[in-house]
Amino acid sequence: MLEEFFLNPFDYEFMRNALLSCFCLSLGCGPVGVFLVLRRMSLMGDALSHAVLPGAAIGYMIAGLSLPALSLGGFLAGFLVALLAGLVSRTTLLKEDASFAGFFLIALALGVFIISMRKSSIDLMNILFGSALAVTHQALLLMASITTLTLSVLAFIYRSLVVECFDPQFFQRVHGKGTLYHMLFLMLVVLNLVSGFQSMGTLLSLGIMMLPATAAQFWSRQIWSMGVLSVVFAMIAGYLGLLLSYHLNFPTGPSIVLMAGLFYIISLLVGRFGSVLQHMKNRVA
Amino acid sequence: MVLRPMGFKMDNHSKHIQIQHLTVAYGETVALENISGTLHPNALMALFGPNGGGKSTFVNVLASIIKPTSGTITHQCRTTCSPAYLPQQSTMHRQFPLTVREVVAMGLWGQAGPFHALDPGHQEKIDEALERVGLQDYDQRLIGTLSGGQFQRMLFARIILEDSSLIILDEPFTAIDIQTSETLLQLIQEWHKLGKTILVVLHDLDIARRYFPETILLSKTCLGWGKTEDVLTDHNLIKAYAQSMRTTHHA
C-alpha cells in the first residue's frame, strides 16, 4: 500500500527522469540560493529569471524547440543583463537593484514580444513553466553538467565569496576588487536558472533556488550546513511534488515549488532561529 | 611578567610616509585642501578635528580607498605598505552567519589566501589574538550575538593577525564601553612599542592628550601637525571649530 503510493510511480521512466532532474537542480540551486540570500540579492534572482526570456525566445525563433539553442540564448541574455546592470551601478548614480529592475523589465517585455509574434501561447507557457514530465536525456545531461560546474566553481571561490560578502571593504584591502567573484557568482545564478529550463521553466526554477535556501536560514547558522539543508529541502520538495502531481493529476512544476513553499512557511513558523515561534518564546520569557 | 603580544616581530620595515599638497574634492565640495606633512615610522598619531573636517577622507586616502584630486602620497616601504585599516562606518554584515574565530582568522588572509588551509601554527596565533582582546571564551560564538564592544575587540584581534606595519583606525572608541576602550588603548600602546606606525581618528580630546604623543588637526585645511601639546592648543581648537562653523553656515 505504502510502496504503491511512494515508490510505484517511479516505475515509469518519465517519472524517474523527472525525479533525477529535480535532484540535479537541487544540488546546484541549493547552495547558489544560500549565497543569494546571504548577499541580500534574493530579488536579483527574480530579475535574472525574467531576463533570461528574450534570449530563449530568440533561440526559439532561430532553432525551434531545441534545448541547446534555448539554453544558450537564455544564458547569454541573462548574463548580459547582469553585466549591464553591474556596469550601470558602477558608473552612474543608480544602485544595483534599481539598474537590475530597469533592465529585466525591458528584457521581459522584449521576450514576451518576440514569443507573441509566433501567435501561439502554448510555446510561451512551455518556456515560462516547463514540463517536468517530459525531461529528455539531453536535458538531464545539460543539468548534470551545469550542476557539476556550479559545485566545482563554488568550491573554488568559496572562501573569497564568503569574505567578500561579509566585509567587502576588508576583502578589497587584502585581496583586491571583488568584481570578478561577483560576476562569476552571477554567472552561476544564470546558469542554474537556465538549467531548470525544460523541467521547471524559467519562472519556477527560481522557486527551487530561493525557497529552500530561505527556509534553511531558520534551521542553521553556518554557511555550509545552510547549503546542505537547502539541497535536502529542495530534493524532498521535488519528490513530494512529483508524487502529488502523479496521484492527483496536479501540474508538476507548480506542485514542486508549492512543496518548497510549504517548507518555507513551516520553517518561518517553527524554525530553530528567528522564527515566529522563537519570537513568541522570547516575548514570554 | 612583561605583557607582550605574541606573533609579532619588531617592525623595522616601516619608513616615512610623505604627504604633499593633498587636495580631495567630491564634485564641487572640497573636503581637504592642500595638506602636507610626514608620518614618521613608529609615529603614534591622533587625528583630530570637527565633524566634516575631512578626517575620514584623509584616512581613506591613506588607505588608498579614495584617490586624491591632486597632490601625492609617497610610501617608502620596502615591502608592500598596505595598512591595516578599521573604517568608522563599516560595510560589514553584522548578522552574517560566521563565528568570532572565523572572522579573526580572516586576518591571516595574507598568509593563507583564498585556498591554503590553516596549520596548527596559524590556529595558535588565532588563539593568542583572541586571548589578547579577551575573547578567548567567545571563539565559537556567532558574531550576531556580540555586543558593540565585543565586536570591536574581535576586529582588533583581526588587525593583530594582519601584522601590518601601518595601522589606521577611524574613531575606534565611538559607542564602546570604557573597559573595552581601555583594553584597546593598551593594545595600541603595545603596537607602538613594537615599532608600528599608528594613526587614530579621535573625537575625545582627553584620550588624544593622554595617549598620543603626536596629533594632526584637520578642518578642511591642516591647522597643526606635530607634538600634541603644541597642536591641541585652545587657540588652534577655536580656530578649527570656528572654521567648520563658517563652512556649515555657507552651506
Side-chain angles (χ1 to χ4, degrees):
Chain A
M1 173 65 198
L2 276 179
E3 191 187 319
E4 209 169 280
F5 187 83
F6 286 107
L7 291 179
N8 283 1
F10 297 98
D11 287 345
Y12 296 101
E13 198 194 354
F14 71 91
M15 283 298 280
R16 283 201 301 277
N17 281 351
L19 188 66
L20 206 56
S21 78
C22 283
F23 283 4
C24 247
L25 275 181
S26 308
L27 270 172
C29 285
V32 169
V34 167
F35 272 104
L36 267 178
V37 174
L38 289 180
R39 293 181 84 87
R40 302 182 184 175
M41 289 177 53
S42 305
L43 291 174
M44 305 268 187
D46 200 15
L48 281 176
S49 77
H50 290 78
V52 165
L53 202 59
I58 291 170
Y60 179 67
M61 295 287 273
I62 294 170
L65 259 181
S66 131
L67 186 63
L70 288 177
S71 306
L72 186 68
F75 173 72
L76 289 178
F79 199 51
L80 186 69
V81 165
L83 279 179
L84 279 176
L87 193 70
V88 164
S89 72
R90 273 179 194 83
T91 50
T92 72
L93 64 93
L94 278 189
K95 294 268 181 275
E96 195 163 29
D97 59 336
S99 60
F100 249 108
F103 282 113
F104 100 74
L105 286 168
I106 295 173
L108 179 63
L110 195 63
V112 176
F113 186 86
I114 296 172
I115 293 170
S116 308
M117 297 207 306
R118 294 289 288 233
K119 299 219 188 321
S120 150
S121 58
I122 298 163
D123 295 334
L124 177 63
M125 291 296 278
N126 240 328
I127 289 179
L128 288 181
F129 301 116
S131 47
L133 299 182
V135 177
T136 59
H137 279 280
Q138 194 187 27
L140 272 179
L141 207 62
L142 181 70
M143 275 186 244
S145 313
I146 289 179
T147 300
T148 309
L149 183 73
T150 302
L151 292 178
S152 316
V153 172
L154 267 188
F156 197 69
I157 65 174
Y158 184 81
R159 192 183 282 175
S160 307
L161 209 55
V162 170
V163 175
E164 202 267 334
C165 189
F166 163 62
D167 190 349
Q169 229 165 29
F170 175 81
F171 186 76
Q172 184 181 347
R173 191 156 63 67
V174 296
H175 192 82
K177 276 218 186 293
T179 318
L180 170 70
Y181 296 94
H182 187 61
M183 281 302 152
L184 265 176
F185 175 68
L186 283 180
M187 189 193 79
L188 289 185
V189 175
V190 179
L191 265 179
N192 278 279
L193 289 172
V194 169
S195 169
F197 227 69
Q198 200 204 359
S199 58
M200 308 290 294
T202 54
L203 296 191
L204 290 176
S205 57
L206 187 70
I208 287 292
M209 190 177 282
M210 297 316 299
L211 286 168
T214 320
Q217 304 290 312
F218 292 102
W219 298 103
S220 148
R221 293 279 80 195
Q222 287 160 310
I223 298 167
W224 69 269
S225 56
M226 275 178 201
V228 173
L229 266 181
S230 67
V231 170
V232 173
F233 286 167
M235 282 181 170
I236 298 175
Y239 171 70
L240 292 178
L242 280 174
L243 275 188
L244 273 187
S245 115
Y246 179 85
H247 289 296
L248 302 171
N249 212 10
F250 286 171
T252 318
S255 300
I256 295 172
V257 175
L258 280 176
M259 278 295 129
L262 198 62
F263 272 99
Y264 167 61
I265 301 285
I266 293 174
S267 309
L268 181 73
L269 290 176
V270 301
R272 244 183 87 198
F273 302 102
S275 63
V276 175
L277 182 73
Q278 297 299 327
H279 183 70
M280 306 270 266
K281 268 191 195 163
N282 289 343
R283 283 186 71 180
V284 172
Chain B
M1 200 186 96
V2 186
L3 258 182
R4 185 174 176 276
M6 291 189 276
F8 275 144
K9 284 167 226 83
M10 268 307 272
D11 220 314
N12 300 317
H13 291 302
S14 51
K15 288 194 176 171
H16 301 271
I17 297 170
Q18 209 139 37
I19 295 141
Q20 280 168 320
H21 308 296
L22 172 72
T23 296
V24 182
Y26 302 105
E28 300 271 286
T29 323
V30 178
L32 286 174
E33 200 177 342
N34 200 18
I35 313 284
S36 297
T38 307
L39 263 180
H40 296 286
N42 201 16
L44 178 53
M45 203 139 207
L47 181 56
F48 205 83
N51 286 331
K55 298 180 303 253
S56 292
T57 301
F58 184 74
V59 292
N60 272 318
V61 171
L62 269 189
S64 13
I65 288 170
I66 297 178
K67 282 205 184 96
T69 312
S70 64
T72 54
I73 295 174
T74 342
H75 293 259
Q76 299 179 311
C77 300
R78 212 174 298 156
T79 51
T80 49
C81 222
S82 75
Y85 171 50
L86 186 62
Q88 180 191 6
Q89 272 160 346
S90 172
T91 49
M92 253 171 254
H93 293 191
R94 293 197 167 224
Q95 297 295 324
F96 209 76
L98 287 170
T99 62
V100 171
R101 191 179 190 86
E102 284 167 328
V103 173
V104 173
M106 288 176 193
L108 293 170
W109 188 278
Q111 293 163 47
F115 303 117
H116 291 285
L118 298 180
D119 59 37
H122 289 138
Q123 300 293 356
E124 216 170 285
K125 276 188 186 171
I126 297 171
D127 286 332
E128 282 162 9
L130 282 167
E131 206 172 320
R132 186 62 201 84
V133 297
L135 285 179
Q136 63 275 22
D137 297 330
Y138 291 81
D139 73 325
Q140 293 305 323
R141 279 275 288 273
L142 286 166
I143 60 169
T145 66
L146 297 181
S147 72
Q150 290 166 335
F151 203 92
Q152 199 72 334
R153 284 163 187 257
M154 173 180 79
L155 295 180
F156 267 70
R158 186 169 77 174
I159 291 175
I160 293 180
L161 288 181
E162 279 188 58
D163 198 12
S164 175
S165 60
L166 172 62
I167 297 173
I168 301 174
L169 312 167
D170 195 351
E171 303 217 358
F173 310 120
T174 307
I176 297 291
D177 57 290
I178 295 169
Q179 215 197 334
T180 300
S181 299
E182 298 269 305
T183 311
L184 300 183
L185 274 166
Q186 210 187 339
L187 195 54
I188 290 173
Q189 307 284 101
E190 281 166 19
W191 285 336
H192 176 57
K193 280 185 202 128
L194 287 167
K196 292 175 187 301
T197 310
I198 301 157
L199 179 67
V200 184
V201 178
L202 288 174
H203 65 210
D204 186 327
L205 268 179
D206 204 41
I207 292 183
R209 286 186 173 133
R210 264 173 56 199
Y211 295 94
F212 291 81
E214 290 177 282
T215 297
I216 302 169
L217 182 61
L218 280 186
S219 178
K220 208 167 92 171
T221 56
C222 180
L223 295 175
W225 186 311
K227 283 200 172 125
T228 301
E229 63 259 37
D230 300 338
V231 172
L232 293 182
T233 57
D234 290 347
H235 175 76
N236 277 347
L237 286 169
I238 290 169
K239 208 166 135 193
Y241 282 85
Q243 214 167 67
S244 91
M245 293 287 275
R246 262 206 309 280
T247 336
T248 325
H249 191 70
H250 280 297

